[in-house]
C-alpha cells in the first residue's frame, strides 16, 4: 500500500485505497455533502467522537494532516477558505486509509479496517457517521499486499486511482468542471504517486519492502536485495533516474497546457512545488535515493508555496 505514513518525512507511499474513489467523483458530490444536516438534526450524537465537540473533529483532521501529510497540509491552507475544511476532511480520510497497513500486523485485520471505512462512506450518506473524527468531518460538509509494481504503468495506474482521485475531488469542491483541469490533475497525480514511491524507498527498505517497478529494476540488473542493502552503485541510480524521469515528464506535460486550465483550479495543483523541489534535489545528488538530504524537509517550502499561489501558476 502506499506510503508509509510513519517514519518518513515524505508521508505515505501509496496514498489511499484504490476503489474507494472513482476517477472523477460524482458531479453532485460536494452539493450532496453540503445538504447533509448538521449534528443538531442527526439521529446520532457525533459530538462525543472527539471530545471537545465538532470543532474538535476539524482540529483532529488538521493535526493528522500536519503530522502525516505535511505538504498536503500546506497546500490545503492556501485553498479558498470556504473549501478548506472539506479538503482537510478528504485528505485526512486519505491518510487514515494509507496508514491502515502500517498499523496492523495481519492482513485480515487490515481488511476489516478497510471494510469499516467502506461502510463508513455508506453510513455518511445515511446521516449515521460512526464516532470517528474524520468520518464526522466527511459527514459534515485494496491494496494490502506487499508486492512491488510490475511496471511503471502499474505504478501510474495506482497513482491515478489514489493521488489523481484526490485532485478530482478537490476540483469538485472548488466547483471546477473542466476537461483541461481534469487532464492536469491526472498527470500531476501520477507525478505525485511516482515521487512518493521514490522518496519512501529508504523507509520501506528499512522494513524489508520494495515497491519500485520490477521491469525497470530488471532492465538495469537491480535486485530487491540491492535496494534492501542500500546499494548506491550506478545501476541502482539508473533505476531511480528512469523512474524520476517519468515523474518529470508528467509534471512537464501537466504544465504544457496551463493556459487552458481555469485559474480557479490552480490552488488545487500547488503540490507541483514540492514535486519539483524533490526532483531537483534528487538530481543534485546524482539520483542517490539513499542520500540523507532527501529525507530533510525544505524549510522554505511554505514560502515557495505562497509565492506560487500569489503568481497564480502551477
Amino acid at each position: 500500500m502506499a506510503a508509509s505514513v510513519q517514519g518518513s518525512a515524505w508521508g505515505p507511499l501509496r496514498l489511499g485505497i484504490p476503489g474507494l474513489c472513482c476517477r472523477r467523483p460524482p458531479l453532485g458530490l460536494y452539493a450532496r455533502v453540503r445538504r447533509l444536516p448538521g449534528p443538531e438534526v442527526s439521529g446520532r450524537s457525533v459530538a462525543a467522537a472527539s471530545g471537545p465537540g465538532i470543532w474538535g473533529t476539524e482540529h483532529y483532521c488538521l493535526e493528522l494532516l500536519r503530522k502525516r501529510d505535511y505538504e498536503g497540509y500546506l497546500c490545503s491552507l492556501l485553498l479558498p477558505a470556504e473549501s478548506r475544511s472539506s479538503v482537510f476532511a478528504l485528505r485526512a480520510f486519505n491518510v487514515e486509509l494509507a496508514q491502515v497497513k502500517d498499523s496492523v500486523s495481519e492482513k485480515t485485520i487490515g481488511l476489516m479496517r478497510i471494510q469499516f471505512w467502506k461502510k463508513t462512506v455508506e453510513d455518511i450518506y445515511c446521516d449515521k457517521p460512526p464516532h470517528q473524527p474524520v468520518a464526522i468531518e466527511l459527514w459534515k460538509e485494496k491494496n494490502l499486499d506487499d508486492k512491488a509494481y510490475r511496471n511503471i504503468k502499474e505504478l501510474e495506474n495506482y497513482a491515478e486511482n489514489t493521488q489523481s482521485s484526490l485532485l478530482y475531488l478537490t476540483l469538485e469542491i472548488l466547483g471546477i468542471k473542466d476537461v483541461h483541469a481534469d487532464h492536469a490533475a491526472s498527470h500531476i497525480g501520477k507525478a505525485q504517486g511516482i515521487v512518493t514511491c521514490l522518496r519512501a524507498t529508504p523507509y520501506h527498505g528499512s522494513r524489508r519492502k520494495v515497491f519500485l517497478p520490477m521491469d525497470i529494476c530488471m532492465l538495469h540488473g537491480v535486485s530487491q536485495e540491492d535496494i534492501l542493502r542500500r546499494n548506491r552503485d550506478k545501476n541502482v541510480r539508473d533505476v531511480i533516474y528512469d523512474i524520476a524521469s517519468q515523474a518529470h515528464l508528467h509534471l512537464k506535460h501537466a504544465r504544457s497546457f496551463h493556459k487552458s486550465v481555469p485559474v480557479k483550479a490552480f490552488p488545487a495543483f500547488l503540490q507541483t512545488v514540492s514535486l519539483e523541489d524533490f526532483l531537483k534535489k534528487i538530481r543534485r545528488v546524482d539520483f542517490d535515493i539513499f542520500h540523507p538530504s532527501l529525507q530533510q524537509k525544505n524549510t522554505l517550502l511554505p514560502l515557495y508555496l505562497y509565492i506560487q499561489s500569489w503568481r497564480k501558476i502551477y
Side-chain angles (χ1 to χ4, degrees), residues 123-144:
D123 289 345
I124 283 172
Y125 288 108
C126 294
D127 281 353
K128 296 186 298 182
H131 288 206
Q132 204 282 345
V134 175
I136 293 170
E137 281 302 295
L138 287 172
W139 170 75
K140 287 196 321 176
E141 329 282 315
K142 111 190 147 206
N143 192 3
L144 292 173

Side-chain angles (χ1 to χ4, degrees), residues 32-93:
R32 185 177 183 183
V33 173
R34 293 189 63 180
R35 286 200 297 272
L36 292 176
E40 65 278 7
V41 296
S42 171
R44 195 168 183 174
S45 172
V46 296
S50 61
I54 295 301
W55 177 87
T57 63
E58 296 180 9
H59 184 68
Y60 176 91
C61 291
L62 188 148
E63 284 298 299
L64 181 64
L65 270 186
R66 187 177 64 82
K67 294 176 181 177
R68 307 294 193 188
D69 181 12
Y70 185 65
E71 294 168 359
Y73 164 78
L74 290 177
C75 292
S76 299
L77 288 175
L78 293 172
L79 290 172
E82 64 272 15
S83 304
R84 208 171 296 147
S85 61
S86 296
V87 173
F88 276 141
L90 281 173
R91 287 192 172 275
F93 178 44

Side-chain angles (χ1 to χ4, degrees), residues 14-201:
R14 305 184 208 166
L15 289 177
I17 303 297
L20 289 185
C21 290
C22 56
R23 181 187 182 282
R24 184 72 163 114
L27 294 180
L29 175 62
Y30 185 45
R32 185 177 183 183
V33 173
R34 293 189 63 180
R35 286 200 297 272
L36 292 176
E40 65 278 7
V41 296
S42 171
R44 195 168 183 174
S45 172
V46 296
S50 61
I54 295 301
W55 177 87
T57 63
E58 296 180 9
H59 184 68
Y60 176 91
C61 291
L62 188 148
E63 284 298 299
L64 181 64
L65 270 186
R66 187 177 64 82
K67 294 176 181 177
R68 307 294 193 188
D69 181 12
Y70 185 65
E71 294 168 359
Y73 164 78
L74 290 177
C75 292
S76 299
L77 288 175
L78 293 172
L79 290 172
E82 64 272 15
S83 304
R84 208 171 296 147
S85 61
S86 296
V87 173
F88 276 141
L90 281 173
R91 287 192 172 275
F93 178 44
N94 183 68
V95 171
E96 290 282 6
L97 294 177
Q99 63 185 1
V100 166
K101 187 173 175 310
D102 281 340
S103 62
V104 300
S105 57
E106 297 181 12
K107 182 176 178 179
T108 302
I109 298 176
L111 290 173
M112 291 172 62
R113 294 195 180 182
I114 293 302
Q115 184 58 39
F116 163 79
W117 282 110
K118 286 184 176 180
K119 187 176 186 305
T120 293
V121 172
E122 296 174 0
D123 289 345
I124 283 172
Y125 288 108
C126 294
D127 281 353
K128 296 186 298 182
H131 288 206
Q132 204 282 345
V134 175
I136 293 170
E137 281 302 295
L138 287 172
W139 170 75
K140 287 196 321 176
E141 329 282 315
K142 111 190 147 206
N143 192 3
L144 292 173
D145 292 323
D146 293 338
K147 294 181 180 178
Y149 300 103
R150 289 174 295 180
N151 48 56
I152 191 70
K153 182 65 176 176
E154 193 170 275
L155 171 55
E156 290 175 330
N157 288 341
Y158 195 100
E160 170 71 25
N161 291 330
T162 53
Q163 294 284 359
S164 297
S165 290
L166 273 177
L167 292 177
Y168 298 140
L169 287 168
T170 301
L171 291 174
E172 184 73 20
I173 289 171
L174 293 174
I176 298 166
K177 301 175 180 65
D178 180 84
V179 64
H180 299 296
D182 284 354
H183 193 188
S186 177
H187 284 288
I188 293 171
K190 288 174 182 175
Q192 176 73 73
I194 294 171
V195 165
T196 307
C197 178
L198 284 174
R199 63 190 181 187
T201 294

